[in-house]
Amino acid sequence: MAPVIVCVGLTTIDIAQVVTQLPAANSKITATDAWLDVGGPAANAARVASHDGCQVRLVTALGDSALAALARERLAGIEIIDVAPPGHRLPVSTVFITPDGSRAVVSRNATALDSIRQPDPAVLDGAEVVLHDGHLLDVSFALATNPSPIHVLDGGSWKPGLEKLLPLIDVAVISADFALPRSTPERALDDLAGLGIPRLARTCGGDAVQAMIGEQLGLFPVPRVEVVDSTGAGDVLHGSLVAQLAGGIDFTKALRNAIVEASESVTHYRIL
């Protein structure tokens, strides 16, 4: 039977455009390619984990707009638990991808959410791992009080309220920019270890991933690849990591494998 994963957080609709340079003020440029797809850290990770053979439940805010219908179509095969309030408009992200594979993103994320509905706690039934991206913190906190699954944090950036969730987290994978209030990104692993999180990793783009397991600090090399599009690489890493943890693979091996999968994802456009 496929392992069960719950992903909690943001879903967006992404409008991606490949450009030779970022647009300047009062200018018009022509894209060399463009597409429309579902995005958001939790949704992307959910798709990766589903692709990697897991049964996935996505707790997110979709609503009932035409864009939400498109998102549901693109998330086929994933069980959706929609916590959106009435009239919720699904956020749209604009992604510009430049020739070096870098991306610039403009999005409202979950800032328009003024209320959410709490899911039934039964959403965790049978779940081995829960991934939290920090965009639906009230939902994440309520679910993380159940210690049975492994609770994993996708720490892309600091979000007010994370201080309540962090003591309930078992694994945190953070970006190079993540920092606790009144601290620095360079201290983030030590800060999180001080909160009692036993397994930690910090990604640094194409540089080695820093990992801390207990008091042991190590470096995990990142394969050298030709970068075409770095959009969602972190989401791929998180989705791959939770899929493997749910399958019983230990953190060290799961992290190494997830790094390889994330590295492969930047060699082409689109996550899947």
Side-chain angles (χ1 to χ4, degrees):
M1 185 175 179
V4 177
I5 289 172
V6 177
C7 296
V8 184
L10 182 67
T11 300
T12 64
I13 290 295
D14 287 0
I15 302 171
Q17 305 213 47
V18 181
V19 296
T20 55
Q21 60 185 20
L22 296 178
N26 298 315
S27 69
K28 294 182 180 180
I29 61 175
T30 301
T32 60
D33 198 358
W35 58 86
L36 190 71
D37 202 358
V38 71
N44 282 338
R47 289 203 295 173
V48 171
S50 178
H51 180 267
D52 287 354
C54 294
Q55 178 184 340
V56 183
R57 301 169 190 154
L58 174 60
V59 181
T60 191
L62 290 187
D64 56 5
S65 66
L67 289 178
L70 174 61
R72 292 178 188 277
E73 176 186 315
R74 298 297 173 91
L75 293 166
I78 295 171
E79 181 182 352
I80 306 294
I81 296 89
D82 189 6
V83 297
H88 174 65
R89 292 186 298 167
L90 191 65
V92 175
S93 297
T94 303
V95 184
F96 297 106
I97 304 163
T98 49
D100 63 353
S102 299
R103 81 284 188 272
V105 182
V106 181
S107 181
R108 291 189 70 190
N109 292 335
T111 56
L113 275 174
D114 53 6
S115 63
I116 53 175
R117 297 178 289 108
Q118 288 289 347
D120 189 321
V123 70
L124 296 184
D125 286 355
E128 283 85 4
V129 180
V130 183
L131 175 68
H132 308 270
D133 73 6
H135 285 282
L136 296 178
L137 277 171
D138 288 345
V139 174
S140 284
F141 180 74
L143 295 179
T145 56
N146 183 332
S148 295
I150 299 169
H151 290 277
V152 179
L153 174 69
D154 166 2
S157 62
W158 179 264
K159 299 169 182 65
L162 264 179
E163 64 276 2
K164 291 175 55 182
L165 181 64
L166 288 177
L168 304 174
I169 293 296
D170 304 297
V171 177
V173 181
I174 60 174
S175 72
D177 299 323
F178 182 93
L180 275 67
R182 297 176 296 280
S183 190
T184 64
E186 293 73 23
R187 286 196 47 81
L189 290 183
D190 288 329
D191 291 339
L192 294 172
L195 294 172
I197 302 176
R199 289 165 287 178
L200 299 162
R202 180 174 180 255
T203 61
C204 301
D207 294 332
V209 173
Q210 302 167 343
M212 184 177 287
I213 305 170
E215 297 181 354
Q216 298 297 315
L217 180 64
L219 294 177
F220 290 66
V222 173
R224 296 300 173 189
V225 297
E226 182 177 351
V227 179
V228 173
D229 179 10
S230 60
T231 307
D235 304 338
V236 174
L237 189 146
H238 296 121
S240 175
L241 178 68
V242 297
Q244 293 176 77
L245 292 176
I249 297 176
D250 70 86
F251 175 69
T252 298
K253 184 176 181 180
L255 181 59
R256 291 189 189 278
N257 293 342
I259 290 169
V260 171
E261 189 168 347
S263 296
E264 190 281 330
S265 75
V266 306
T267 63
H268 52 79
Y269 294 120
R270 308 193 191 195
I271 290 176
L272 295 173

Coordinates of all heavy atoms in Angstrom, one line a residue, residues 189 200-204 206-213 216-224 251-252 255-256 259:
L189 N 20.3 27.4 11.4 CA 20.4 26.0 11.8 C 20.6 25.8 13.3 O 19.9 25.0 14.0 CB 21.5 25.2 11.1 CG 21.2 24.9 9.6 CD1 22.4 24.1 9.0 CD2 19.9 24.2 9.3
L200 N 17.8 18.8 10.5 CA 17.7 20.1 9.8 C 18.5 20.1 8.5 O 19.5 19.4 8.5 CB 18.2 21.2 10.7 CG 17.5 21.4 12.1 CD1 18.4 22.2 13.0 CD2 16.2 22.1 11.8
A201 N 18.1 20.9 7.6 CA 18.9 21.1 6.4 C 18.7 22.5 5.9 O 17.6 23.1 6.1 CB 18.5 20.1 5.3
R202 N 19.7 23.1 5.3 CA 19.6 24.4 4.7 C 20.2 24.4 3.3 O 21.3 24.1 3.1 CB 20.4 25.4 5.6 CG 20.5 26.8 5.1 CD 21.2 27.7 6.1 NE 21.2 29.1 5.7 CZ 22.3 29.7 5.3 NH1 23.5 29.1 5.1 NH2 22.3 31.0 4.9
T203 N 19.3 24.7 2.3 CA 19.7 24.7 0.9 C 20.4 26.1 0.6 O 20.0 27.1 1.1 CB 18.5 24.5 0.0 OG1 17.6 25.5 0.2 CG2 17.9 23.1 0.3
C204 N 21.3 26.0 -0.4 CA 22.0 27.2 -0.8 C 22.2 27.3 -2.3 O 23.3 27.4 -2.8 CB 23.4 27.3 -0.1 SG 23.3 27.2 1.7
G206 N 23.0 26.2 -5.8 CA 23.8 25.2 -6.3 C 25.0 24.8 -5.4 O 25.7 23.8 -5.8
D207 N 25.1 25.4 -4.3 CA 26.1 25.1 -3.3 C 25.7 23.9 -2.5 O 24.5 23.6 -2.4 CB 26.5 26.3 -2.5 CG 27.2 27.4 -3.3 OD1 27.8 27.1 -4.3 OD2 27.0 28.5 -2.9
A208 N 26.6 23.3 -1.7 CA 26.3 22.2 -0.9 C 25.2 22.5 0.1 O 25.1 23.6 0.7 CB 27.5 21.7 -0.2
V209 N 24.3 21.5 0.4 CA 23.3 21.6 1.4 C 23.9 21.4 2.8 O 24.6 20.4 3.0 CB 22.1 20.6 1.1 CG1 21.1 20.6 2.2 CG2 21.5 20.9 -0.2
Q210 N 23.6 22.3 3.7 CA 24.1 22.1 5.1 C 23.1 21.3 5.8 O 21.9 21.6 5.7 CB 24.3 23.5 5.7 CG 25.3 24.4 5.0 CD 25.2 25.8 5.5 OE1 24.3 26.2 6.1 NE2 26.2 26.6 5.2
A211 N 23.5 20.3 6.6 CA 22.6 19.5 7.3 C 23.0 19.4 8.8 O 24.3 19.3 9.0 CB 22.4 18.1 6.7
M212 N 22.1 19.3 9.7 CA 22.4 19.1 11.1 C 21.5 18.0 11.6 O 20.3 18.2 11.6 CB 22.2 20.4 11.9 CG 22.7 20.3 13.3 SD 22.5 21.9 14.2 CE 23.9 22.8 13.5
I213 N 22.1 17.0 12.1 CA 21.4 15.9 12.7 C 21.9 15.7 14.1 O 23.0 15.3 14.4 CB 21.6 14.6 11.9 CG1 21.2 14.8 10.4 CG2 20.8 13.4 12.5 CD1 21.7 13.6 9.5
Q216 N 25.5 16.9 15.0 CA 26.4 16.7 13.9 C 26.1 17.6 12.7 O 25.0 17.5 12.2 CB 26.4 15.2 13.5 CG 26.9 14.3 14.6 CD 28.3 14.5 14.9 OE1 29.2 14.6 14.1 NE2 28.6 14.5 16.2
L217 N 27.1 18.4 12.2 CA 26.9 19.2 11.0 C 27.6 18.6 9.9 O 28.8 18.2 10.0 CB 27.4 20.6 11.3 CG 27.3 21.7 10.2 CD1 25.8 21.9 9.9 CD2 28.0 23.0 10.6
G218 N 26.9 18.5 8.7 CA 27.5 18.0 7.5 C 27.2 18.7 6.3 O 26.2 19.5 6.3
L219 N 27.9 18.5 5.2 CA 27.6 19.1 3.9 C 27.3 18.0 2.9 O 27.9 17.0 2.8 CB 28.8 19.8 3.4 CG 29.3 21.1 4.2 CD1 30.5 21.7 3.6 CD2 28.1 22.1 4.2
F220 N 26.2 18.2 2.2 CA 25.7 17.3 1.2 C 25.9 17.9 -0.2 O 25.3 18.9 -0.5 CB 24.2 16.9 1.4 CG 24.0 16.1 2.6 CD1 24.2 16.6 3.9 CD2 23.5 14.8 2.5 CE1 24.0 15.8 5.0 CE2 23.3 14.0 3.6 CZ 23.5 14.5 4.9
P221 N 26.8 17.4 -1.1 CA 27.0 18.0 -2.4 C 25.8 18.1 -3.3 O 25.0 17.2 -3.2 CB 28.2 17.2 -2.9 CG 28.0 15.8 -2.3 CD 27.5 16.1 -0.9
V222 N 25.8 19.1 -4.1 CA 24.7 19.2 -5.1 C 25.3 18.9 -6.5 O 26.3 19.5 -6.8 CB 24.1 20.7 -5.1 CG1 23.2 20.9 -6.2 CG2 23.5 21.0 -3.7
P223 N 24.7 18.0 -7.2 CA 25.2 17.7 -8.6 C 25.3 19.0 -9.4 O 24.5 19.9 -9.4 CB 24.2 16.7 -9.1 CG 23.5 16.2 -7.9 CD 23.5 17.2 -6.9
R224 N 26.4 19.1 -10.2 CA 26.6 20.2 -11.2 C 25.8 19.9 -12.4 O 26.0 18.8 -13.1 CB 28.1 20.3 -11.5 CG 28.9 20.8 -10.3 CD 28.4 22.1 -9.7 NE 29.1 22.4 -8.4 CZ 28.7 23.4 -7.7 NH1 27.7 24.2 -8.0 NH2 29.4 23.7 -6.5
F251 N 16.7 9.8 7.2 CA 16.8 11.2 6.8 C 18.0 11.5 5.9 O 17.9 12.2 4.9 CB 16.8 12.1 8.1 CG 17.0 13.6 7.7 CD1 16.1 14.3 7.1 CD2 18.3 14.2 8.1 CE1 16.3 15.7 6.8 CE2 18.5 15.5 7.8 CZ 17.5 16.3 7.1
T252 N 19.2 10.9 6.3 CA 20.4 11.2 5.6 C 20.3 10.7 4.1 O 20.6 11.5 3.2 CB 21.6 10.5 6.2 OG1 21.8 11.1 7.5 CG2 22.9 10.8 5.4
L255 N 17.6 12.7 2.2 CA 18.0 14.0 1.8 C 19.0 14.0 0.6 O 18.8 14.8 -0.4 CB 18.8 14.7 3.0 CG 19.3 16.1 2.7 CD1 18.1 17.1 2.3 CD2 20.0 16.7 3.9
R256 N 19.9 13.0 0.6 CA 20.8 12.9 -0.6 C 20.0 12.6 -1.9 O 20.2 13.2 -2.9 CB 21.8 11.7 -0.3 CG 22.8 12.0 0.7 CD 23.9 10.9 0.7 NE 24.7 11.0 1.9 CZ 25.8 11.8 1.9 NH1 26.1 12.6 0.9 NH2 26.5 11.9 3.0
I259 N 18.1 15.7 -3.0 CA 19.0 16.7 -3.7 C 19.2 16.4 -5.1 O 19.1 17.2 -6.0 CB 20.3 16.8 -2.9 CG1 20.1 17.4 -1.5 CG2 21.3 17.5 -3.7 CD1 21.3 17.3 -0.6

